[in-house]
């Protein structure tokens, strides 16, 4: 169980990273720049994305935790679900919104592993929350359902 203080710190850190990355995100979406395509399927809903992830790494049928990142505070336009206490699935209505959220993860100094597809992200925030690794193999998610797997800031599976 994460403390409120640690949760607030992580959420605030991601929100600050989002604010700091806003200039970068705007440049990336200029007509000449375009958004680089991300491999993987497009999901029609958050439920469909969570179902696909659960088929690979197993998730509880009923989530036991609330989303880790507060969508309103972080400024994301996403829907969120959890898979385990420390893995979050994010579904976006557009690839632009997904790209903005991915940039926030790229800009953070916290150890995070992510898999991103056209309109979704799966993020393991275990080490960012200073807890043990979740045990969810996100590399396997990327291999089996598609997507781009990225390890950020020293995230290590043990």
């Amino acid at each position: 169980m994460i403390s409120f203080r640690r949760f607030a710190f992580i959420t605030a850190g991601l929100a600050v990273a989002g604010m700091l990355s806003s200039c970068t995100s705007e440049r990336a979406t200029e007509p000449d720049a375009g958004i680089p395509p991300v491999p993987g399927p497009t999901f029609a809903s958050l439920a469909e994305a969570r179902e696909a992830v659960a088929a690979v790494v197993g998730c509880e049928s009923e989530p036991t935790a609330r989303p880790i990142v507060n969508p309103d505070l972080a400024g994301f336009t996403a829907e969120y679900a959890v898979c385990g206490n420390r893995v979050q699935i994010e579904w976006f209505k557009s690839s632009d919104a997904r790209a903005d959220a991915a940039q926030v993860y790229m800009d953070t100094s916290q150890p995070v592993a992510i898999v991103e597809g056209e309109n979704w992200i799966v993020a393991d925030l275990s080490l960012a929350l200073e807890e043990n690794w979740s045990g969810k193999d996100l590399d396997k998610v990327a291999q089996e359902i598609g997507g781009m797997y990225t390890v950020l800031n020293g995230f290590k599976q043990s």
Side-chain angles (χ1 to χ4, degrees), residues 7 12-13 19 26 37 49-50 53 58 64 68 71 73-75 88 96 107 109 111 136-137 141:
F7 172 79
M19 287 182 260
E26 288 173 20
R50 187 176 189 281
V53 172
T64 57
I68 300 158
L73 181 60
Q88 182 163 290
D96 290 348
D107 291 346
S109 62
K136 306 292 185 195
D137 188 348
V141 169

Side-chain angles (χ1 to χ4, degrees), residues 2 7 11 65-71 79-82 85 88-89:
I2 65 169
F7 172 79
T11 304
R66 298 184 64 184
I68 300 158
V69 175
N70 179 331
E79 293 181 32
Y80 296 80
V82 293
N85 290 335
Q88 182 163 290
I89 301 164

Side-chain angles (χ1 to χ4, degrees), residues 8-20:
F9 175 77
I10 296 299
T11 304
L14 288 172
V16 168
M19 287 182 260
L20 293 175

Side-chain angles (χ1 to χ4, degrees), residues 17-85:
M19 287 182 260
L20 293 175
S21 69
S22 63
C23 293
T24 304
S25 296
E26 288 173 20
R27 279 195 304 267
T29 58
E30 290 175 358
D32 294 336
I35 297 172
V38 176
T42 299
F43 295 112
S45 67
L46 174 63
E48 188 178 299
R50 187 176 189 281
E51 197 174 292
V53 172
V56 177
V57 294
C59 298
E60 306 86 359
S61 58
E62 292 295 321
T64 57
R66 298 184 64 184
I68 300 158
V69 175
N70 179 331
D72 297 326
L73 181 60
F76 295 160
T77 54
E79 293 181 32
Y80 296 80
V82 293
C83 177
N85 290 335

Side-chain angles (χ1 to χ4, degrees), residues 139-155:
D139 186 33
K140 185 175 180 182
V141 169
Q143 291 173 15
E144 292 197 20
I145 65 173
M148 184 169 55
Y149 177 67
T150 307
V151 174
L152 304 167
N153 303 314
F155 184 92

